[in-house]
Amino acid sequence: MIVVELRKLFRRPRTWVTIGLLNALPVLVAVLLAWTDLAPRPGEGPAFLSAVLTNGTLYPLAALAIVLPLFLPIAVSVVAGEAVAGEAQGGTLRYLLARPAGRTRLLVAKLIAVVAFVVVTVVVVAGVGYVVGRLLFEVQPTGGTALSGTSLTSQELAVRTLLAIGYVTVSMLGVAAFALFFSTLTDSPLGATLGALAVLIASSLLFTLDAASSFAPYLPTRYWLAFVDLFRDPILWRDVVRGVALQAVYVVVLLGAAWANFTTKDVTS
């Protein structure tokens, strides 16, 4: 069943169209940075955008920072929101549940397919960013410079980049958990997607309000960009660790709620 779900997801043209569109914006930004004078000054603008002008190997991080606040969560929400609700809307869910595999195994298969999409998407965005960065910007053969100004070796830069990719992946698993939970509550993939996006938009808005400062550390979007701290010297682990722990709590709680709801609800679709 897991193999079937993976094939179903990655054989859909819209899956790869979505991944392609996600990469279009970072590529466009890279071209504009390379061919115009629109680059922000050091310390200004989105993370890493000014640093990539002197070290193109940092562009995978800039690409992730560009798509992370909005476009990547939308893509993940669409795929995860459709996981169960899409089957219900298409009238195939009750036939899938008629198999002896059971509801838990079906939900696990859907979850693994969504996780695979998250991993593939984040890796592709970082990979395309790496290629574009090396083609359009200068590359320092000895490594690069941390955001704090300290030099990093090529090996240190590679390890920190992999850690950042892993961190962004974990952050998006939290988004997937929200969308998958809503997908078990409704027969509308659009409703599940909008439900997850509503939570994330509300989180982003509340984070900007002083009145919400008491619970701001618990908002799901609070630590999304903490991977920037991996490129300071020394690494500032506090927000990174908090971000991973927070997403782990959301994933466990929401997936548990999704399982409890899906295994007990009456399915008529």
Side-chain angles (χ1 to χ4, degrees), residues 91-133:
T92 58
L93 183 57
R94 62 177 179 270
Y95 297 109
L96 289 174
L97 296 180
R99 299 176 179 178
R103 299 189 181 197
T104 299
R105 186 174 177 183
L106 175 61
L107 189 62
V108 169
K110 294 289 186 181
L111 173 62
I112 291 176
V114 172
V115 171
F117 174 80
V118 173
V119 173
V120 169
T121 302
V122 173
V123 170
V124 169
V125 170
V128 172
Y130 179 77
V131 173
V132 171

Side-chain angles (χ1 to χ4, degrees), residues 180-215:
L180 189 60
F181 169 65
F182 286 119
S183 187
T184 64
L185 298 179
T186 177
D187 292 348
S188 170
L190 179 60
T193 300
L194 292 179
L197 291 178
V199 171
L200 300 177
I201 291 172
S203 172
S204 299
L205 292 176
L206 287 172
F207 181 62
T208 64
L209 301 178
D210 292 337
S213 59
S214 60
F215 55 87

Side-chain angles (χ1 to χ4, degrees), residues 157-250:
L157 187 59
V159 170
R160 297 186 189 204
T161 300
L162 291 176
L163 288 174
I165 292 172
Y167 184 84
V168 172
T169 301
V170 170
S171 298
M172 290 302 99
L173 291 182
V175 177
F178 272 107
L180 189 60
F181 169 65
F182 286 119
S183 187
T184 64
L185 298 179
T186 177
D187 292 348
S188 170
L190 179 60
T193 300
L194 292 179
L197 291 178
V199 171
L200 300 177
I201 291 172
S203 172
S204 299
L205 292 176
L206 287 172
F207 181 62
T208 64
L209 301 178
D210 292 337
S213 59
S214 60
F215 55 87
Y218 309 105
L219 296 173
T221 60
R222 167 63 179 87
Y223 299 105
W224 274 5
L225 293 176
F227 71 89
V228 174
D229 291 339
L230 294 170
F231 294 84
R232 305 187 191 279
D233 194 24
I235 295 175
L236 302 180
W237 288 104
R238 188 189 67 171
D239 284 355
V240 174
V241 172
R242 289 180 177 181
V244 171
L246 181 64
Q247 296 304 324
V249 171
Y250 276 115

Side-chain angles (χ1 to χ4, degrees), residues 33-34 39-40 48-56 137-138:
L33 288 175
F48 301 105
L49 275 191
S50 58
V52 299
L53 296 179
T54 56
N55 189 4
F137 305 110
E138 298 179 13

